[in-house]
Amino acid sequence: MKIWAVANQKGGVGKTTTAVTLGGLLAGKGHKTLLVDMDPHGSLSAYFGFDPDDMSDSIYNFFQAVSNNSKIDPDPVVRDTRVTNLHLMPASMALATLDRQLAIRKGTGLVMIKALREVKEKFEYVLIDCPPVLGILMINALAACERLLIPVQTEFLAQKGLERMMKTLSMVQSSGQEALPCLIIPTMYDRRTRASNDSWTALRENYPQDIWTSTIPVDTGFRDASKTGLPLPMLRPRARGAIAYEKLLQDLLEPEKTVVELQARAS
Ligand SMILES: Nc1ncnc2c1ncn2[C@@H]1O[C@H](COP(=O)(O)OP(=O)(O)OP(=O)(O)O)[C@@H](O)[C@H]1O
Ligand SMILES: [Mg+2]
């Protein structure tokens, strides 16, 4: 099971859209995929028709179980979506209270690692959608994932949020621990605007190691898709935005292919 988290401390940069679209593409290729909504606002849950204000079972269950020393039970939390192979662990409003409740308790940063361990036979891919703030939820996502995707809106001041995210990353990673591989994904790119082009150039200059070589374009299809409860590739596979995320997914899967190929060559 591969676990990828989507995070950026800046709001509205395309985190939820990235999780939904990559999740849809993976499911469309036949991979059993789990989306995890770690944002108390629950945009990811709402995308698939679940109301975060009215969820009896959500990832909040896991935090409760750990603080009560009871067993984590993922079964009532995992829901189906309208898409075959695509499942969801929804958020609930109660998550917003976690930082106050749990800040000082030990082990609360490892709740999601424990919860995802319980479903590791069921899913091939897990995509965690993070809230735009640093807190116990983001800490859990960063601890649980093996790869971090950082969508950055190509606009004026885009770098500010990214700098904060990078600082957070180095703060939460203890020394001696292997650095978490991360990929910066320029989003909402509009090649006609100066702001988009300047910002993309600056990102490539400042983060040459971590930047994705391409961009996700502005596409109003994402907003239309969010009203239907289907990821854009399921609704309009030829949309510019869907094609861009398909290329992103190919690039994300590439290293795995290389390892498999190398293994095949070696045997
Ligand atoms: N490439 C794109 N082109 C046009 N609109 C987009 C694109 N990506 C996302 N959007 C739209 O921008 C809005 C914000 O996107 P999204 O919810 O994915 O951001 P977010 O980073 O998850 O926000 P938050 O920090 O509030 O959770 C949504 O209405 C979404 O449909
Ligand atoms: Mg979001």
Side-chain angles (χ1 to χ4, degrees), residues 26-214:
L26 283 163
K29 292 183 193 304
H31 297 298
K32 284 286 246 179
T33 303
L34 175 68
L35 296 173
V36 181
D37 191 353
M38 295 209 66
D39 186 347
H41 286 124
S43 317
L44 180 62
S45 309
Y47 195 107
F48 292 102
F50 298 99
D51 179 2
D53 296 348
D54 189 27
M55 292 305 296
S56 51
D57 293 295
S58 73
I59 60 164
Y60 185 70
N61 292 21
F62 307 145
F63 290 87
Q64 263 182 325
V66 169
S67 78
N68 299 336
N69 280 325
S70 52
K71 197 174 157 5
I72 285 179
D73 180 9
D75 289 346
V77 180
V78 177
R79 305 297 181 97
D80 295 340
T81 69
R82 285 180 61 198
V83 180
T84 312
N85 294 324
L86 190 60
H87 302 268
L88 171 77
M89 282 180 175
S92 64
M93 257 189 14
L95 288 170
T97 63
L98 278 182
D99 277 298
R100 232 176 318 135
Q101 290 175 35
L102 300 173
I104 44 174
R105 291 213 197 134
K106 262 181 112 179
T108 47
L110 304 176
V111 172
M112 285 314 291
I113 290 186
K114 291 181 188 155
L116 292 175
R117 217 177 271 152
E118 300 294 320
V119 295
K120 73 173 192 298
E121 307 302 335
K122 292 196 177 138
F123 298 102
E124 288 168 75
Y125 289 92
V126 178
L127 284 158
I128 306 178
D129 185 24
C130 292
V133 286
L134 173 61
I136 204 75
L137 291 159
M138 195 191 287
I139 302 272
N140 264 271
L142 294 178
C145 74
E146 66 208 58
R147 182 171 219 175
L148 178 63
L149 309 180
I150 311 175
V152 176
Q153 188 175 352
T154 47
E155 46 134 36
F156 186 58
L157 291 182
Q159 311 253 355
K160 277 274 161 258
L162 181 57
E163 279 165 24
R164 216 176 319 142
M165 188 65 229
M166 290 306 202
K167 228 176 257 168
T168 296
L169 202 56
S170 59
M171 233 165 56
V172 298
Q173 291 200 303
S174 46
S175 53
Q177 196 182 349
E178 228 176 273
L180 185 64
C182 54
L183 187 68
I184 297 165
I185 303 160
T187 61
M188 303 184 208
Y189 177 70
D190 182 348
R191 65 188 163 83
R192 294 164 306 178
T193 68
R194 173 118 190 238
S196 262
N197 285 305
D198 286 355
S199 148
W200 191 29
T201 305
L203 286 170
R204 278 180 298 174
E205 275 169 16
N206 295 335
Y207 299 94
Q209 306 293 328
D210 298 322
I211 186 110
W212 182 42
T213 49
S214 189

Side-chain angles (χ1 to χ4, degrees), residues 21-22 25 29 212 214-219 221-222 231-251:
T21 314
L22 289 177
L25 287 166
K29 292 183 193 304
W212 182 42
S214 189
T215 55
I216 303 295
V218 173
D219 186 340
F222 288 111
L232 181 60
M234 267 76 201
L235 194 68
R236 288 189 220 143
R238 302 306 304 156
R240 284 186 323 148
I243 291 169
Y245 273 104
E246 175 71 52
K247 181 168 185 330
L248 172 64
L249 181 61
Q250 271 173 19
D251 289 347

